[in-house]
Amino acid sequence: MISCIDSIFLKQVYLYGGQVTSWKNERREELLFLSSKALFQPPKPIRGGIPICFPQFGNLDSLEQHGFARNRLWSVDPDPPPCSSHTNSRAFIDLILRHSEEEAKIWSHRYELRLRVALGPAGDLMLTSRIRNTNTDGKSFTFTFAYHTYFFVTDISEVRVEGLETLDYLDNLQNRERFTEQGDAITFESEVDKIYLSTPTKIAILDHERKRTFELRKDGLPDAVVWNPWDKKAKAMADFGDEEYKHMLCVEAACVEKPITLKPGEEWKGRQEISIVPSSYCSGQLDPRGQLDLRRVTFGC
């Protein structure tokens, strides 16, 4: 485990899975959910934080659920790509995952997956992934991807998600049948597992009891997955507490509906940034200045 500390904020990143497991605010309150029963060794992924789903999201292909990146040992990147000159990070760490002989048995492609985890000046959590096709046989490969972010919430029944209204989604609880979201915001009273399609670049998760809002911004990731297992499925998972579903919600920046194809030498880049704002900023509108302009989103490196 690697801990990145400054005078106010703390984040923790495990080399196993290349996974952020902790992110705290200036009051040292934990913002990411991590199960009390989480395992930190193969073959199980770490239950909580921000798992990386690559090269497959879900279980619709031949690979293990959500791919193998979250079950592999990453390393610190000795030669990370340069950061944009305008970016000002409080702290950051660069990790890398490359193909291995073990993986070649189940996925025969050569690749480099680079991940930068950074804290912005105000403590915002920024993740940037770069995936490059390093095949030497001229073959392209296709993949799907997601940041499987587990948000810590006070009470799931008092949480709502804004920014996904009226959008189409695939319902994983109904064999990925396609529906259109109804209502003004998404609230929770039972199990949910939906893939929202062609989503905006900004999504808000409102925790009413804490009077705070997670603002998720994303780039290169057109879809968004919303998941909570609720009571029955929670009890069926060995690495998840029976009552922990009440205190977590996954809202995942993803690319699922239309897989990405890279030719040899090509690179794909995807980013997400999470910040905390007072809930009054986001109730009924995503822009605290009163302008819902989802095109004007800037990111760190």
Side-chain angles (χ1 to χ4, degrees), residues 217-238:
R217 298 179 177 90
K218 57 192 181 67
D219 183 40
L221 298 161
D223 306 320
V225 182
V226 178
W227 178 70
N228 183 290
W230 221 251
D231 53 350
K232 290 184 180 179
K233 195 160 286 184
K235 293 176 181 178
M237 294 188 289

Side-chain angles (χ1 to χ4, degrees), residues 17-271:
Q19 190 161 327
V20 179
T21 56
S22 178
W23 171 45
K24 296 182 179 181
N25 61 17
E26 69 278 4
R27 294 185 296 276
R28 298 295 195 269
E29 295 171 335
E30 183 56 63
L31 302 173
L32 298 178
F33 168 83
L34 182 67
S35 174
S36 62
K37 295 188 175 182
L39 304 174
F40 296 86
Q41 58 186 6
K44 293 288 290 184
I46 300 171
R47 176 71 71 184
I50 309 180
I52 303 295
C53 300
F54 170 84
Q56 171 185 299
F57 178 85
N59 58 1
L60 294 184
D61 210 336
S62 58
L63 299 176
E64 59 197 278
Q65 171 86 356
H66 293 327
F68 49 70
R70 63 182 188 153
N71 296 334
R72 296 294 186 266
L73 187 65
W74 296 49
S75 58
V76 176
D77 191 346
D79 186 25
C83 200
S84 301
S85 58
H86 66 272
T87 301
N88 181 19
S89 300
R90 300 177 72 106
F92 64 89
I93 183 72
D94 290 285
L95 303 180
I96 189 167
L97 181 69
R98 292 189 174 98
H99 66 278
S100 68
E101 294 301 322
E102 178 184 0
E103 286 167 8
K105 300 174 184 177
I106 58 173
W107 204 63
S108 59
H109 301 290
R110 300 168 66 92
Y111 67 91
E112 287 183 346
L113 169 48
R114 297 178 184 269
L115 173 67
R116 169 164 288 187
V117 182
L119 287 173
D124 300 352
L125 181 61
M126 301 176 288
L127 279 73
T128 303
S129 294
R130 292 175 169 87
I131 297 171
R132 177 176 291 274
N133 182 338
T134 59
N135 278 333
T136 57
D137 58 6
K139 292 183 179 179
S140 300
F141 64 68
T142 299
F143 65 93
T144 51
F145 182 94
Y147 292 118
H148 199 318
T149 307
Y150 286 75
F151 292 96
F152 176 83
V153 298
T154 312
D155 180 353
I156 186 62
S157 66
E158 297 294 327
V159 171
R160 71 178 186 179
V161 176
E162 295 184 353
L164 303 176
E165 305 83 17
T166 73
L167 297 182
D168 286 356
Y169 65 87
L170 307 178
D171 194 334
N172 286 323
L173 302 181
Q174 299 191 51
N175 297 315
R176 287 204 173 186
E177 189 174 347
R178 190 174 185 129
F179 299 92
T180 300
E181 187 61 58
Q182 307 295 325
D184 296 331
I186 301 168
T187 56
F188 304 91
E189 55 186 21
S190 62
E191 181 183 358
V192 61
D193 190 355
K194 299 177 179 179
I195 304 170
Y196 290 85
L197 309 174
S198 301
T199 60
T201 54
K202 189 189 295 185
I203 301 168
I205 302 103
L206 288 73
D207 185 339
H208 290 295
E209 195 157 323
R210 287 287 175 95
K211 294 182 173 58
R212 71 184 177 201
T213 295
F214 296 98
E215 197 172 79
L216 188 155
R217 298 179 177 90
K218 57 192 181 67
D219 183 40
L221 298 161
D223 306 320
V225 182
V226 178
W227 178 70
N228 183 290
W230 221 251
D231 53 350
K232 290 184 180 179
K233 195 160 286 184
K235 293 176 181 178
M237 294 188 289
D239 61 346
F240 196 92
D242 290 355
E243 301 295 316
E244 288 184 331
Y245 74 94
K246 297 177 181 178
H247 306 297
M248 57 74 61
L249 177 65
C250 286
V251 179
E252 312 166 31
C255 186
V256 179
E257 183 190 27
K258 299 177 181 178
I260 301 154
T261 298
L262 294 179
K263 297 177 181 178
E266 289 185 336
E267 182 179 88
W268 169 85
K269 182 178 179 180
R271 299 179 289 182

